[in-house]
Amino acid sequence: MRWPPWLAAWLAWACGAGAGRLAPLCASRGLCRPPLGLNASHPEPGHCPRQRGAADLCAWPLSSESLLDPFPIDVIQENYVRNVKNCIFSVVYPIPFKSRVRLVAVSKDVLENILDLDISVKGTSDFLQFVSGGKVILGSVPLAHRYGGHQFGSWAGQLGDGRAHLIGVYTNRHGERWELQLKGSGKTPYSRSGDGRAVLRSSVREFLCSEAMHYLGIPTSRAASLVVSDDDVWRDQFYNGNIKKERGAIVLRLATSWFRIGSLEILAHSGELDLQRRLLDFIIQQHFPSIAMNDSNRYLEFFSTVVSETANLIALWMSVGFAHDFVPNTSDDERRYKIGNQANVGLFNLSKLLQALKPLLDPRQKQLASQILEGYGERYYIRFIELFKTKLGLLGENEDDNYLIAFLLKLMEDTKADFTMTFRQLSEITEDQLKELHIPEEFWALQDLGKHKLFSEWVTMYLLRLNRNKGDSDTKRRTRMTTVNPRYILRNWMAESAVQKANSNNFSEVHLLQQILQHPFQKQQAAEKAGYSLRPPAWAKDLKVSCSS
């Protein structure tokens, strides 16, 4: 019998060869989990089905086999920084915090509707140890993923999961497959010069932002939990030599897949084409079910789908004003990732994906793939216009719609009118108020916009266009627009305020923001009281973030 290479590492750990390593969660009580290949929807006799509301992690099936079996694993079992070859993953266990660990927040939606866990599980010691990297589920094998990539436009070589551990795959009662990953859980072979940790401020931002994006209707990873420790972590936040002591934290985050463009790039750059083909086929089979595995053009179809989805995703980002550089990023001196460059960076990423795929394509497919890439700009533009027409409440087609949208965005740029509240207040103001250019004081973003000398010209065009909406009314328009234009987003000053309080062990604003951002389109009394729809405070103008934030 030939054992898979990862099994030796797991057995050495489980049998105690790794003194001082993590103890398996529930080892003394056993773990009910399905055998290899078991269909979650039709469990065999004697095995546990996926049930809603499990309150005990020992009856909760988490597995790593679906990622371990298809690929070779790093043959070196020791955890030290190195250049890794000929594998997709390294087996490496989280490094527990040395100090007290506190559960800061959980997502009830993620626990109950994705992970099939009862919310009461958050109060158990097992849960705290699991989400903080203190213990792993018996049978799951923590992994660090090997990938490469570009940073600020230049090939950076091997990157990889330098402070993250993929701790298993869960298939829920809906048949959805989710990969669970701890971020900030210790060093791996890919940590380079890092310490493998994440700090509280960046973890608060990630937890809140991933959930906020989800409730805005934008595809994103999800955050299940946030824990903080008293371990000292030293950070130079703005890379200016000012090193400060902070606290370590861990986010348990979920995605349907943690593979990325760099997962294929590293294999192409290393000439590991057989492994690249195996990985690509696995990705297509798992995540692109509409593509037939026996189709000789499956890699071309994969690329076409990724181009379309990238154009759609970035258009969605733009529709809510979200960008890598949403606020001044001190790590981005060239402003490569500013909001106006998002579509171009998407094109850059897709060009690198195509470059990685070319060794697997024949000459005809390479030519077709280049044509597909050339169509990215048009796909993005079409989706962008669709979204902004919806934001403005426009129905049907009109040849002047593109100009109307561009005109408004130019006025907003010139007056520095707030993006979110301009569209939200256009959703709430009546046509009569606009017609009279009577902008109530509460519509502060529109008042800023109204200072532009061409504002009245744009309003006239806009009202004429609204009159062409067939079967519409002002009430219907406003109702429709308030469902797509959020009143609340996670602004930098809000996140900063929550972080500052969290640094003093006051997590009230983390919890408040988590609650508010679950309903971003609905006016909420608690949010109004907190000032979340008002002008940002004066101190917010000086806020900066970095890649460390």
Side-chain angles (χ1 to χ4, degrees):
M1 177 180 178
R2 183 178 180 273
W3 288 4
W6 58 265
L7 188 56
W10 185 86
L11 284 173
W13 166 79
C15 294
R21 288 187 178 179
L22 306 183
L25 192 66
C26 312
S28 62
R29 289 173 281 168
L31 176 68
C32 183
R33 66 180 181 86
L36 296 179
L38 183 64
N39 187 312
S41 302
H42 301 87
E44 296 175 358
H47 294 288
C48 293
R50 271 60 164 172
Q51 295 178 345
R52 182 173 186 172
D56 186 351
L57 289 180
C58 296
W60 186 62
L62 188 69
S63 175
S64 304
E65 283 95 349
S66 65
L67 294 173
L68 287 165
D69 289 348
F71 308 114
I73 299 298
D74 185 6
V75 296
I76 300 176
Q77 296 179 19
E78 290 77 14
N79 184 10
Y80 64 91
V81 174
R82 61 186 181 274
N83 193 30
V84 180
K85 295 285 188 179
N86 301 311
C87 68
I88 305 298
F89 297 105
S90 299
V91 175
V92 56
Y93 283 80
I95 300 174
F97 288 123
K98 298 176 182 178
S99 64
R100 178 193 64 155
V101 179
R102 175 175 178 176
L103 182 64
V104 172
V106 298
S107 168
K108 186 174 185 290
D109 179 51
V110 171
L111 291 188
E112 294 188 340
N113 297 322
I114 295 180
L115 298 180
D116 299 330
L117 292 170
D118 189 271
I119 190 63
S120 64
V121 77
K122 72 175 185 176
T124 66
S125 175
D126 281 349
F127 183 78
L128 181 60
Q129 292 185 75
F130 174 62
V131 300
S132 62
K135 291 187 178 180
V136 298
I137 297 289
L138 183 62
S140 68
V141 180
L143 304 169
H145 175 39
R146 172 194 174 211
Y147 60 85
H150 290 76
Q151 293 181 325
F152 300 99
S154 299
W155 174 247
Q158 176 181 291
L159 298 174
D161 289 334
R163 55 175 176 171
H165 294 77
L166 202 167
I167 55 174
V169 179
Y170 181 73
T171 302
N172 65 22
R173 67 187 187 277
H174 307 298
E176 301 167 341
R177 177 187 179 279
W178 290 87
E179 297 180 5
L180 281 66
Q181 186 186 77
L182 296 176
K183 183 175 180 180
S185 43
K187 296 180 78 168
T188 77
Y190 310 99
S191 295
R192 294 179 286 170
S193 60
D195 58 15
R197 293 302 185 191
V199 295
L200 180 59
R201 60 180 159 82
S202 60
S203 301
V204 166
R205 288 175 181 274
E206 171 153 4
F207 180 86
L208 290 175
C209 192
S210 60
E211 290 300 279
M213 294 293 278
H214 168 73
Y215 288 105
L216 286 169
I218 297 176
T220 180
S221 59
R222 300 296 303 275
S225 64
L226 168 64
V227 298
V228 64
S229 73
D230 290 328
D231 281 25
D232 294 340
V233 178
W234 297 89
R235 286 290 182 271
D236 181 359
Q237 181 180 357
F238 297 111
Y239 310 105
N240 58 5
N242 186 19
I243 301 176
K244 294 183 178 180
K245 183 173 68 175
E246 303 188 53
R247 287 191 291 168
I250 292 177
V251 173
L252 172 58
R253 57 187 191 172
L254 292 73
T256 53
S257 174
W258 290 107
F259 290 129
R260 61 200 73 199
I261 291 173
S263 305
L264 299 170
E265 280 187 289
I266 191 69
L267 300 176
H269 275 263
S270 302
E272 300 169 41
L273 300 187
D274 288 342
L275 187 52
Q276 183 188 14
R277 187 176 286 105
R278 286 170 65 179
L279 176 58
L280 187 52
D281 283 342
F282 176 86
I283 291 171
I284 292 172
Q285 189 168 27
Q286 287 285 339
H287 304 290
F288 296 82
S290 64
I291 301 177
M293 293 307 298
N294 59 358
D295 186 349
S296 61
N297 290 316
R298 63 187 181 278
Y299 298 157
L300 194 64
E301 292 296 322
F302 163 78
F303 182 65
S304 178
T305 303
V306 172
V307 169
S308 295
E309 291 300 317
T310 301
N312 178 60
L313 178 61
I314 296 181
L316 283 168
W317 289 352
M318 296 295 286
S319 74
V320 295
F322 173 81
H324 177 292
D325 192 15
F326 190 67
V327 294
N329 183 347
T330 57
S331 303
D332 186 15
D333 296 330
E334 298 177 0
R335 304 206 71 193
R336 174 181 177 81
Y337 302 108
K338 68 179 183 179
I339 190 167
N341 284 348
Q342 294 297 289
N344 290 333
V345 171
L347 179 61
F348 175 87
N349 293 342
L350 291 169
S351 70
K352 297 307 175 185
L353 173 59
L354 177 54
Q355 185 177 333
L357 293 176
K358 279 184 175 179
L360 308 181
L361 304 177
D362 63 33
R364 180 189 65 86
Q365 291 171 333
K366 290 178 184 177
Q367 184 178 6
L368 290 173
S370 295
Q371 293 173 0
I372 291 170
L373 184 61
E374 289 174 2
Y376 162 79
E378 183 178 359
R379 296 187 192 194
Y380 166 77
Y381 184 71
I382 290 172
R383 186 62 177 136
F384 180 95
I385 294 299
E386 287 177 353
L387 290 167
F388 276 80
K389 284 180 62 177
T390 303
K391 288 176 71 67
L392 287 174
L394 307 182
L395 302 177
E397 301 295 329
N398 189 283
E399 60 182 10
D400 294 329
D401 286 347
N402 297 7
Y403 178 75
L404 183 69
I405 294 167
F407 193 173
L408 173 61
L409 294 176
K410 178 59 177 172
L411 298 187
M412 293 168 63
E413 180 183 6
D414 289 349
T415 59
K416 294 182 170 55
D418 185 89
F419 182 96
T420 299
M421 294 310 292
T422 293
F423 283 100
R424 179 66 187 201
Q425 290 168 10
L426 281 173
S427 309
E428 296 176 351
I429 197 169
T430 67
E431 289 185 26
D432 287 340
Q433 288 173 318
L434 271 179
K435 189 181 303 181
E436 299 171 5
L437 295 179
H438 174 65
I439 311 297
E441 187 176 347
E442 63 183 288
F443 296 146
W444 52 270
L446 292 184
Q447 286 191 335
D448 290 346
L449 195 67
K451 295 175 183 176
H452 201 290
K453 62 182 180 180
L454 298 179
F455 176 66
S456 61
E457 182 179 335
W458 181 84
V459 168
T460 300
M461 287 183 60
Y462 181 50
L463 292 174
L464 285 173
R465 175 61 180 87
L466 290 177
N467 287 335
R468 297 191 183 102
N469 284 349
K470 294 183 178 180
D472 203 15
S473 69
D474 193 38
T475 299
K476 289 180 181 179
R477 171 194 67 85
R478 285 184 286 142
T479 300
R480 193 168 62 247
M481 288 174 64
T482 53
T483 63
V484 296
N485 292 311
R487 187 172 177 88
Y488 314 109
I489 60 167
L490 182 63
R491 297 176 181 271
N492 190 37
W493 74 265
M494 298 177 190
E496 183 67 19
S497 177
V499 166
Q500 293 301 324
K501 291 174 182 172
N503 284 335
S504 300
N505 286 326
N506 178 356
F507 302 105
S508 59
E509 191 154 20
V510 173
H511 299 149
L512 175 62
L513 283 168
Q514 184 184 5
Q515 175 187 342
I516 297 302
L517 295 170
Q518 290 178 17
H519 308 282
F521 304 101
Q522 300 175 16
K523 190 172 184 179
Q524 301 172 59
Q525 184 176 357
E528 297 301 307
K529 184 178 179 180
Y532 291 161
S533 65
L534 300 179
R535 289 184 187 275
W539 58 266
K541 295 179 180 179
D542 298 324
L543 282 178
K544 295 181 179 180
V545 298
S546 70
C547 288
S548 170
S549 299

